[in-house]
Amino acid sequence: MMQENIQVVAALYKFVSLPDFAEKQEPLLSYCQSQGIKGTILLAAEGINGTIAGSRQGVDSVLAFLRSDPRLADLEHKESYTEIQPFERMKVRLKAEIVTMGLPEVDPNQQVGTYVSPQEWNDLISDPEVIVIDTRNDYEVNIGTFKTAQNPQTKSFREFPEYVSNNLDPNQHKKVALFCTGGIRCEKASAFMLSQGFTEVYHLKGGILKYLESVPAEESLWEGECFVFDERVAVRHGLELGSHELCFCCGYPISEQDKASPQYEEGISCPHCFDSLTPEKRLRQQEKWKQYRLQHLFSA
């Protein structure tokens, strides 16, 4: 039985035509608040995307509320658990896109690549004719990715279309396999690539997280850890807690090797931000770290 203080964290998304998305904002916000749920849900004409947290009963109630709309009846979600509520308040925002590529006209509801299950993924990416592309940002790719995958070196998902334009040719790259953390970015990326004339575009259903959950470690083609956007920071096979932490200064995921660097100082700097710290910024960061430690000392 789940402990009473455990918070359920539910991540969800679905590309689905929601022309009335703006009308759903207030009722959804009110219902989430009535159930003691916090987090962020994005609504757009192309669908829904969000992460919420709260009690088991509260999260289940909100999921049931969402699925009461026939268009969201098959809405899937992924869960994790924490002892501390990771969000400060509940927000329901209206957006042009539920995952920002900067091209609202690219609509996965109109066309989308071929979904590939985790069980079929290894065979696909082992095909020498398939180009495998990680659609995540560079800091995510740096701590783990699939063997043979290309790193687009993007700082944000908005840069993915430019990467495709500069590096890929539908006449040359006949088969393309895309993946991301939970499936939403690679799904939208597949729609974009189809719109650019690529004909065989595949994407990993459920993303890396579903692969790590489903595929045994001894059969896996994954290397490293997978960055996640919650307090776990990173996970391994079986979704076990990874070894990375976040730098208190820059928010970059840091490894044990990073912490052994002379450029690492707890709460102050890491190898990724050390060179950008001016003397003034270092003083501000030292004060920020001091206040953070005092706050947590008194709240312990």
Side-chain angles (χ1 to χ4, degrees):
M1 184 174 181
M2 186 173 293
Q3 300 176 21
E4 291 185 3
N5 63 330
I6 293 295
Q7 299 283 298
V8 179
V9 182
L12 55 95
Y13 88 88
K14 181 177 176 61
F15 285 107
V16 60
S17 180
L18 295 177
D20 57 341
F21 71 98
E23 299 170 18
K24 299 176 71 68
Q25 182 183 30
E26 288 303 324
L28 178 55
L29 177 61
S30 296
Y31 190 80
C32 288
Q33 291 173 333
S34 75
Q35 300 300 310
I37 295 299
K38 297 180 181 179
T40 299
I41 295 178
L42 307 180
L43 297 172
E46 68 177 10
I48 183 171
N49 178 25
T51 304
I52 58 174
S55 68
R56 172 82 275 170
Q57 180 180 351
V59 168
D60 286 347
S61 295
V62 169
L63 292 173
F65 180 81
L66 288 169
R67 291 168 180 150
S68 66
D69 184 328
R71 298 168 297 183
L72 301 175
D74 59 349
L75 177 68
E76 297 181 359
H77 76 284
K78 300 179 183 70
E79 291 187 357
S80 61
Y81 308 94
T82 178
E83 295 183 0
I84 301 173
Q85 169 59 259
F87 305 110
E88 295 183 358
R89 58 188 181 278
M90 185 66 217
K91 296 175 284 187
V92 179
R93 293 178 170 172
L94 305 181
K95 294 285 186 177
E97 302 171 86
I98 58 172
V99 57
T100 305
M101 178 180 275
L103 299 172
E105 66 272 18
V106 175
D107 187 358
N109 295 304
Q110 301 299 320
Q111 60 177 354
V112 72
T114 302
Y115 296 93
V116 180
S117 71
Q119 292 74 22
E120 301 170 313
W121 184 249
N122 283 359
D123 287 341
L124 175 67
I125 66 173
S126 297
D127 182 343
E129 295 184 1
V130 174
I131 179 172
V132 186
I133 303 172
D134 195 328
T135 65
R136 301 173 302 153
N137 299 329
D138 57 355
Y139 70 91
E140 299 171 77
V141 181
N142 287 340
I143 71 170
T145 191
F146 283 105
K147 296 177 182 178
T148 75
Q150 292 196 14
N151 179 3
Q153 300 286 339
T154 54
K155 301 295 183 185
S156 76
F157 191 51
R158 284 180 175 271
E159 297 175 9
F160 185 77
E162 183 180 1
Y163 161 78
V164 172
S165 175
N166 293 338
N167 297 277
L168 301 175
D169 182 348
N171 296 315
Q172 180 182 352
H173 304 103
K174 300 293 187 181
K175 299 179 181 179
V176 181
L178 309 171
F179 64 92
C180 64
T181 308
I184 186 170
R185 282 178 283 184
C186 58
E187 187 167 345
K188 184 136 191 185
S190 76
F192 169 74
M193 294 194 72
L194 288 172
S195 74
Q196 299 303 297
F198 294 85
T199 54
E200 283 193 60
V201 184
Y202 305 88
H203 53 107
L204 178 58
K205 186 171 184 179
I208 302 162
L209 295 180
K210 194 65 178 177
Y211 180 93
L212 294 179
E213 181 182 15
S214 308
V215 176
E218 60 271 18
E219 299 175 14
S220 175
L221 297 181
W222 177 263
E223 297 179 326
E225 297 180 357
C226 177
F227 181 83
V228 289
F229 297 90
D230 58 45
E231 75 286 343
R232 295 173 297 173
V233 183
V235 295
R236 301 185 177 108
H237 287 94
L239 301 186
E240 294 181 0
L241 186 65
S243 62
H244 284 76
E245 301 175 14
L246 294 183
C247 172
F248 185 78
C249 179
C250 67
Y252 199 99
I254 52 176
S255 64
E256 290 300 319
Q257 183 178 357
D258 290 327
K259 292 168 70 174
S261 166
Q263 295 180 330
Y264 173 76
E265 183 179 351
E266 185 181 11
I268 309 301
S269 66
C270 76
H272 306 285
C273 62
F274 180 84
D275 291 337
S276 66
L277 279 184
T278 62
E280 293 78 11
K281 187 174 180 181
R282 175 174 287 276
L283 286 173
R284 290 197 300 271
Q285 189 62 28
Q286 288 172 338
E287 181 61 26
K288 184 179 179 182
W289 177 238
K290 176 183 175 181
Q291 294 302 321
Y292 174 84
R293 294 184 67 188
L294 285 172
Q295 179 183 352
H296 282 70
L297 177 66
F298 288 116
S299 62

